[in-house]
Amino acid sequence: MLFSRDIGIDLGTSNTIICDKKGRIVIREPSVVAVDVKSKRVLATGDEAKAMIGRTPGSIIAVRPLQDGVIADFDMTSDMLRSFIYRSSKRSLFTRTRVVISIPSDVTEVERRAVEDAVRSAGAQDVELIEEPMAAALGVGLPVFDATGSMVVDIGGGTCDVAVISLGGIAACRSIKVGGDALDEAIINYLKREHELLVGTNTAEDIKLKIGSAAPYDGEGAMEVRGRNIINGLPKSAEITSEEIRDVLSAPVSQIISAIKETLEVTLPELAADIIDKGIYLTGGSSQLRGLADLISEETKIAVHIPENPTDCVAIGTSIKLRRAV
């Protein structure tokens, strides 16, 4: 028997989340592909491929086919999506596959077309694009179709999308290429510069999660970091503190706050008043950086809220879009 299916995809720089029409998460995996250099054959995707980063022999490369929220390698992105879409359902035969997929708010027409073509190449017949802040607002449950202003800041791996939404459209927005990857890169560069220690992205992310913060917090401490000495190439370890990492992250965090302020500055007064009443909503995995919400609230003088599952808001929003399109 043949079936049709509808799925929503949050195609992120760091992770891809796929949900069904009812909003249930069916795939949550890193946006990583492992490829055999000689044959160009895809060996693994998602969790399995991420485990290979920095640990592969010369004949295998583990790469992230999306950079800064857009497709950097079309073929790898198509292969990755095809794998995820196939694994998202127990059935393998469908009459049609309809997909709603999220994109950053400032992508070009060429980049929009690349995403649509990649999804079609992965097996979808009907494709609809939705801007990430709109999807996030839907996922949070904000009244985006009412004549009232709602503000969402979606901080993903590659981008930070800030938007004020009213009457089903984006009234003001700002998108910057700063997200979780920029935070990790700042840590990598700091360790290289100050400790002559070379570490990979997985180690940098671990440091960020364990002791990273945007503001001082209770229970601050230190951790030992292991990597390679950039001078002699031998293994090396160094101890770093929470305060060190907070100082390192201050530059990208300041860029995020500046983007929020710039968006508020061009927001209509009536919508700004609504935002003061309802507050700012943070979504995306990097919104969970310790102290970030408090720092944004302090800088803007507006209450800041983080939903229960901020990483899932965009994906859930795509599923809501699927239901509304019927």
Side-chain angles (χ1 to χ4, degrees):
M1 183 176 179
L2 297 177
F3 301 87
S4 61
R5 62 174 169 179
D6 300 324
I7 56 175
I9 302 177
D10 174 11
L11 181 62
T13 304
S14 298
N15 297 284
T16 295
I17 302 175
I18 298 180
C19 61
D20 62 16
K21 196 173 179 179
K22 295 181 179 180
R24 296 174 298 200
I25 305 298
V26 293
I27 288 286
R28 186 202 306 275
E29 300 215 15
S31 301
V32 181
V33 179
V35 181
D36 186 292
V37 175
K38 296 177 182 178
S39 66
K40 304 297 182 183
R41 184 170 62 91
V42 173
L43 303 176
T45 60
D47 288 321
E48 187 180 353
K50 185 177 181 180
M52 297 181 181
I53 291 180
R55 296 185 172 89
T56 58
S59 60
I60 301 173
I61 56 172
V63 298
R64 293 165 64 176
L66 291 105
Q67 297 294 329
D68 299 328
V70 298
I71 293 176
D73 189 302
F74 179 85
D75 292 333
M76 285 190 187
T77 301
S78 296
D79 289 337
M80 181 184 74
L81 283 171
R82 185 179 296 108
S83 172
F84 289 163
I85 290 173
Y86 178 79
R87 286 153 51 192
S88 69
S89 177
K90 296 178 181 178
R91 300 189 181 102
S92 58
L93 296 176
F94 297 92
T95 55
R96 293 190 74 80
T97 297
R98 186 165 66 101
V99 172
V100 171
I101 187 166
S102 65
I103 55 172
S105 59
D106 71 336
V107 296
T108 65
E109 191 58 38
V110 172
E111 290 165 343
R112 292 175 68 94
R113 175 63 63 180
V115 172
E116 184 175 343
D117 289 346
V119 180
R120 291 188 186 279
S121 178
Q125 287 76 40
D126 300 316
V127 181
E128 183 177 354
L129 308 181
I130 182 173
E131 293 175 324
E132 286 175 359
M134 177 63 77
L138 286 171
V140 171
L142 296 176
V144 298
F145 298 101
D146 295 347
T148 181
S150 300
M151 188 170 196
V152 172
V153 181
D154 182 58
I155 313 172
T159 61
C160 170
D161 284 285
V162 185
V164 175
I165 299 169
S166 178
L167 291 171
I170 294 178
C173 69
R174 181 95 164 83
S175 182
I176 58 174
K177 298 185 186 304
V178 176
D181 289 351
L183 301 178
D184 296 342
E185 192 65 29
I187 293 172
I188 291 172
N189 291 336
Y190 171 78
L191 292 174
K192 189 187 301 182
R193 183 179 65 252
E194 299 296 329
H195 293 276
E196 298 177 344
L197 183 66
L198 185 63
V199 300
T201 55
N202 289 348
T203 299
E205 183 179 19
D206 188 48
I207 294 169
K208 178 181 65 180
L209 294 175
K210 288 182 177 177
I211 62 173
S213 69
Y217 64 95
D218 293 335
E220 289 191 1
M223 68 177 288
E224 183 184 42
V225 179
R226 298 172 182 174
R228 193 177 79 222
N229 189 315
I230 62 174
I231 303 299
N232 57 27
L234 297 177
K236 178 182 177 179
S237 64
E239 185 175 81
I240 55 174
T241 66
S242 303
E243 185 177 0
E244 278 184 272
I245 299 304
R246 182 165 57 255
D247 290 341
V248 170
L249 300 181
S250 63
V253 166
S254 295
Q255 288 179 272
I256 292 172
I257 293 174
S258 293
I260 295 171
K261 288 181 176 179
E262 288 168 10
T263 305
L264 287 169
E265 287 170 3
V266 297
T267 298
L268 294 172
E270 291 80 2
L271 298 179
D274 295 334
I275 293 168
I276 292 172
D277 290 339
K278 291 189 291 188
I280 299 169
Y281 286 81
L282 300 187
T283 62
S286 298
S287 68
Q288 300 174 92
L289 178 68
R290 288 184 192 85
L292 180 59
D294 292 336
L295 184 59
I296 293 173
S297 180
E298 180 182 331
E299 291 286 335
T300 61
K301 311 303 179 188
I302 300 173
V304 175
H305 312 287
I306 301 180
E308 185 176 352
N309 296 304
T311 57
D312 297 345
C313 291
V314 171
I316 293 171
T318 61
S319 73
I320 294 173
K321 181 67 173 176
L322 278 169
R323 296 196 293 272
R324 288 187 63 90
V326 174

